[in-house]
Amino acid sequence: MACFAQLRRLYSLDTLDTRFTTSSSTPFRGVSSTNRDLPDPAKEDSSQELTPRVYNKEHNAVARDTVTSAPKGWRKLELPAYYAIVSCAVPLMIKVTYDVSKVLMVCTESHPSYPVYSHLLSEGWMAGRKVDNSDLQYAGFRGNVPYLLLLLVLHPSLRRMYDYFFSSEPPRTSPPSSQAQASPADRASSPIDSAAAADARLEQRVSFDFRFAIFFICALHGISALKIMLILYINYKLATRLPRSQVPVATWVFSIGMLFANELCGGYRLRDLGALISPAQASLDKSASSPRLLVNLGAWLDGFGGLMPRWEVFFKMTVLRLISFNLDYHWSFNLRGGSPVEVTADIHKKKQLDPTNLSERDRLITPAKPHEYSFRNYVAYTLYSPLYLAGPIVTFNDYVSQLRYPAASITNSRTILYGVRFILCLLCMEIMLHFLYAVAICKAKPAWETYTPFQLSMLGYFNLHIIWLKLLLPWRFFRLWALIDGIDPPENMVRCMSDNYSALAFWRGWHRSFNRWIIRYIYVPLGGSGGPGGSGLLSKLRPVGNFLIVFTFVAMWHDINLRLLMWGWLVSLFVLPEVIAGFLFPRRKWENHKDAYRILCGVGAVGNILMMMAANLVGFAVGFDGLKGLVQGIVGSYSGLVFLATACFTLYVGVQVMFEIREDEARQGIRMKC
């Protein structure tokens, strides 16, 4: 029983991120002494969500977040049958993909298409099998795991050494007579001493973050660190020198312009800049007898590119932090400290906040002190080493708040359990790459007619699963690094890829910190979901237009190419059916027909899942042509149509299990919003 309890704790939402079990408007310490799994629905976050939301009069968390409250009888008869079907289907899905991934071994026969993709496989370390390391993005992370683990130990150790040798003690002043007569415990908890200690902690941590960040980017990008610092300096001047009314527009123009310029100019190679300055030799010619000095010098300097010469690929995350700093600084001039369109508590209530016990929402919208928007703090934030390469993303306000007062959500036991979960996910990925060659097969584009419809669908399905894992692992590693260092960023991956049936909810749980960043800095300023005042279909469709703008930016931010733009537009298009269905079939009209409504939602969810799989295969896996080949192979025959009907029924069964998972969370008072 003790082992089972530990396993349950390991996979609890509280271990993954306390934000899932604590309302964003409730201080963590305020709920830690009570039952943190039962947040008060009346205190839930009222901020906008990245979803065309249907407003109704119910304020119960269960009513808002679950599709339907199924009668108890279905848990005795129908639900066990669904569990049995899922228990049989999942092993069969894995077996089918394993069968098409058979390699040529002494005692086994390989699949007929094995020679087509075998060159994409590398030597592995499990059961004598090769490993599918053909995804270049994940291969870079996988090959550097030992060095990253070393850095995971080195960075916190250096911070502790720095704190030991260069400790910043708060200045001591003569206490008033009333305080001099107080006990040491009372004096330590006084606002003056607490603020002084917080200022000292901020100074201590920022000074280390700034120095280590400079060293870190120099090691990573070599000479290109100067380019990064120049961009950061220009952006800082835009935020602090322009008239306040011009800062938001200038910030967005500069940031989007940098995304395009970095991509189109290839990171501004000094060799190319030298050729531009001396146009007589725009391109190096081997037959030239006297090459220009600037071109040669630039080429020589480009050789000092550091460990990761392509700095522009990783700078996309930094662009988000540049925008966050500028807009947080711009909004800090408002008395309430948040976005002009955010709904915040009244000023009197804000003055009564305990800075040592802020809720997450208060950390986001409470501005830093004016002098804390300095260039040093700005560089330390934008280049914060644990989150520099891949995130998760924290806002500038949140970063400064956590430097001043450590987050109560960070404990040694929770961090250790989170690290164990990361190791288990890494092991799961290794098993998949050694036994399921879905990525290599899809990259090789074999003759699709050699595969059955079932095999084709599983290749696409596990391709998406590997994409999910290859993003989850770096995000969790860097979040683990930040947790060890004393910063608690949001968890990026909320649910397993296979535990999603809503396109709207899916994007709230996928790259969650980016989603929250988009809500604060793009979606809400655009008008968000419109609020409860709108009525009619047009008011429900307005958020879809905001969705289109958001996903166009998201696509450009990922990469400037047509395939990802198609992905962004497909996602926006596939949101429409869910929004329209929610308008035509409102939940309140089905209160007396809950079973029928649950079945209806299950059918719609199957369509959602198929569309989400199609959009993500286009954007991140096989592209439009590859998806076309997969679809033709599945529906191009009578047997394929029979399989499609069977697959849709299986998806429907899985959706019903997902409904029950969310019902169970709702019964515990947990509101995941996805």
Side-chain angles (χ1 to χ4, degrees):
M1 293 299 294
C3 293
F4 180 77
Q6 287 297 324
L7 187 63
R8 185 175 181 180
R9 186 185 176 197
L10 176 65
Y11 284 98
S12 68
L13 292 173
D14 188 71
T15 296
L16 189 61
D17 193 342
T18 57
R19 294 171 178 85
F20 301 146
T21 55
T22 304
S23 168
S24 62
S25 59
T26 304
F28 181 81
R29 293 177 191 171
V31 297
S32 61
S33 59
T34 59
N35 187 355
R36 201 175 344 98
D37 291 336
L38 297 173
D40 183 1
K43 297 181 181 179
E44 285 297 326
D45 185 6
S46 60
S47 62
Q48 296 273 4
E49 297 174 2
L50 185 52
T51 168
R53 187 172 178 181
V54 178
Y55 288 82
N56 48 37
K57 296 181 180 179
E58 293 87 355
H59 294 286
N60 184 275
V62 176
R64 284 200 305 256
D65 286 79
T66 55
V67 173
T68 179
S69 298
K72 294 182 179 179
W74 98 294
R75 297 188 186 96
K76 296 181 180 179
L77 299 175
E78 189 176 347
L79 186 59
Y82 291 154
Y83 280 138
I85 293 174
V86 171
S87 300
C88 295
V90 172
L92 182 60
M93 294 161 63
I94 297 173
K95 181 181 182 304
V96 166
T97 313
Y98 171 75
D99 288 341
V100 300
S101 304
K102 286 183 177 179
V103 299
L104 186 60
M105 300 177 69
V106 177
C107 300
T108 61
E109 294 183 0
S110 62
H111 190 272
S113 64
Y114 173 73
V116 178
Y117 65 85
S118 60
H119 66 284
L120 297 174
L121 304 180
S122 307
E123 292 300 322
W125 58 275
M126 282 189 180
R129 289 182 61 88
K130 293 188 174 183
V131 61
D132 182 358
N133 204 28
S134 58
D135 188 292
L136 297 180
Q137 185 181 23
Y138 181 72
F141 173 79
R142 183 175 182 268
N144 287 293
V145 165
Y147 307 105
L148 291 172
L149 292 176
L150 178 63
L151 196 58
L152 186 68
V153 176
L154 182 62
H155 175 262
S157 300
L158 289 175
R159 181 185 293 281
R160 284 164 176 77
M161 292 174 60
Y162 181 86
D163 291 344
Y164 180 79
F165 289 106
F166 304 98
S167 177
S168 297
E169 291 290 339
R172 297 186 178 275
T173 59
S174 299
S177 57
S178 60
Q179 187 177 346
Q181 298 174 0
S183 66
D186 293 335
R187 290 198 300 269
S189 61
S190 67
I192 296 177
D193 288 347
S194 177
D199 290 340
R201 186 176 190 273
L202 174 65
E203 173 66 25
Q204 183 78 14
R205 289 187 62 89
V206 166
S207 60
F208 176 83
D209 286 345
F210 176 79
R211 290 174 171 83
F212 192 87
I214 299 300
F215 169 78
F216 191 59
I217 64 167
C218 288
L220 288 181
H221 307 310
I223 192 68
S224 295
L226 297 176
K227 307 171 192 175
I228 295 174
M229 293 302 297
L230 177 61
I231 295 174
L232 263 59
Y233 179 77
I234 294 173
N235 181 77
Y236 182 77
K237 290 301 179 181
L238 291 178
T240 57
R241 292 290 183 265
L242 286 180
R244 187 182 166 211
S245 60
Q246 299 177 11
V247 169
V249 174
T251 295
W252 282 107
V253 171
F254 178 75
S255 300
I256 295 177
M258 290 309 304
L259 288 176
F260 277 90
N262 291 348
E263 182 75 19
L264 298 177
C265 297
Y268 318 106
R269 289 188 295 271
L270 297 179
R271 170 186 175 275
D272 296 337
L273 293 178
L276 184 65
I277 295 174
S278 37
Q281 191 175 355
S283 60
L284 290 177
D285 187 357
K286 294 182 179 179
S287 63
S289 56
S290 57
R292 296 296 181 93
L293 176 62
L294 286 178
V295 177
N296 281 345
L297 178 61
W300 179 73
L301 290 175
D302 285 335
F304 298 93
L307 300 174
M308 297 178 175
R310 295 191 61 198
W311 65 273
E312 69 275 10
V313 175
F314 304 96
F315 194 73
K316 296 173 184 178
M317 295 297 303
T318 306
V319 167
L320 302 182
R321 290 186 280 268
L322 299 184
I323 296 172
S324 175
F325 174 85
N326 285 19
L327 296 185
D328 281 1
Y329 177 69
H330 172 71
W331 290 334
S332 70
F333 290 97
N334 300 334
L335 290 178
R336 58 188 178 185
S339 162
V341 290
E342 281 186 300
V343 180
T344 60
D346 57 77
I347 299 174
H348 176 72
K349 180 181 177 182
K350 288 297 178 184
K351 290 181 180 179
Q352 302 302 318
L353 288 175
D354 177 9
T356 66
N357 190 23
L358 293 177
S359 68
E360 185 197 18
R361 177 165 172 76
D362 287 329
R363 291 203 311 264
L364 293 177
I365 66 177
T366 303
K369 298 177 182 180
H371 69 272
E372 290 171 353
Y373 292 94
S374 64
F375 183 73
R376 185 194 62 167
N377 293 4
Y378 160 75
V379 172
Y381 161 69
T382 54
L383 302 180
Y384 179 56
S385 303
L387 306 181
Y388 169 72
L389 291 174
I393 306 162
V394 295
T395 67
F396 180 78
N397 288 346
D398 193 8
Y399 171 76
V400 171
S401 178
Q402 292 196 52
L403 291 190
R404 291 177 60 83
Y405 301 100
S409 57
I410 301 178
T411 64
N412 290 336
S413 60
R414 188 178 288 110
T415 302
I416 291 172
L417 290 174
Y418 189 83
V420 172
R421 287 187 68 159
F422 165 76
I423 294 173
L424 292 176
C425 289
L426 184 64
L427 180 61
C428 177
M429 182 64 153
E430 285 297 302
I431 292 173
M432 290 185 66
L433 294 181
H434 278 81
F435 292 92
L436 308 177
Y437 300 148
V439 176
I441 293 173
C442 291
K443 277 183 175 290
K445 296 181 180 179
W448 298 118
E449 58 270 14
T450 61
Y451 297 91
T452 67
F454 191 12
Q455 292 171 339
L456 287 173
S457 63
M458 289 303 99
L459 286 174
Y461 174 78
F462 280 103
N463 206 322
L464 290 176
H465 249 293
I466 291 174
I467 291 174
W468 174 74
L469 271 173
K470 81 168 185 179
L471 296 174
L472 176 144
L473 286 168
W475 286 338
R476 286 202 176 169
F477 173 83
F478 291 118
R479 181 170 184 261
L480 175 63
W481 182 2
L483 289 172
I484 295 174
D485 192 47
I487 295 292
D488 185 7
E491 170 64 29
N492 264 342
M493 289 296 196
V494 178
R495 296 191 187 274
C496 175
M497 187 207 79
S498 296
D499 188 15
N500 289 278
Y501 60 84
S502 166
L504 300 175
F506 176 75
W507 294 114
R508 286 202 295 269
W510 178 285
H511 204 169
R512 184 167 173 266
S513 67
F514 188 27
N515 176 273
R516 290 154 61 92
W517 184 95
I518 288 171
I519 292 172
R520 176 169 170 81
Y521 298 109
I522 303 180
Y523 190 67
V524 171
L526 286 174
S529 54
S535 61
L537 181 59
L538 290 179
S539 67
K540 307 300 180 187
L541 294 181
R542 176 190 171 187
V544 178
N546 295 339
F547 234 71
L548 182 61
I549 296 174
V550 163
F551 275 97
T552 299
F553 171 78
V554 171
M556 290 190 303
W557 178 81
H558 277 92
D559 202 358
I560 301 173
N561 61 52
L562 181 60
R563 190 177 78 173
L564 280 174
L565 280 176
M566 289 174 59
W567 164 80
W569 296 333
L570 280 175
V571 168
S572 302
L573 177 65
F574 290 164
V575 163
L576 275 174
E578 186 171 345
V579 175
I580 296 173
F583 176 78
L584 296 177
F585 304 98
R587 183 181 183 277
R588 63 181 180 274
K589 294 184 178 180
W590 294 78
E591 288 295 332
N592 297 326
H593 308 281
K594 292 183 178 180
D595 275 336
Y597 188 64
R598 175 170 53 81
I599 294 171
L600 181 65
C601 290
V603 173
V606 171
N608 266 349
I609 292 173
L610 293 176
M611 289 187 292
M612 286 192 292
M613 290 180 66
N616 286 290
L617 282 171
V618 169
F620 297 102
V622 297
F624 185 79
D625 292 336
L627 177 65
K628 184 178 178 181
L630 286 173
V631 172
Q632 287 178 345
I634 293 174
V635 302
S637 63
Y638 175 77
S639 61
L641 294 174
V642 172
F643 163 76
L644 181 61
T646 305
C648 288
F649 171 75
T650 307
L651 287 175
Y652 171 83
V653 169
V655 166
Q656 296 300 320
V657 175
M658 297 179 209
F659 288 169
E660 175 59 20
I661 291 173
R662 285 152 181 80
E663 284 281 348
D664 184 64
E665 291 172 353
R667 287 191 289 271
Q668 300 177 48
I670 297 174
R671 186 174 176 228
M672 295 280 286
K673 300 183 182 180
C674 64

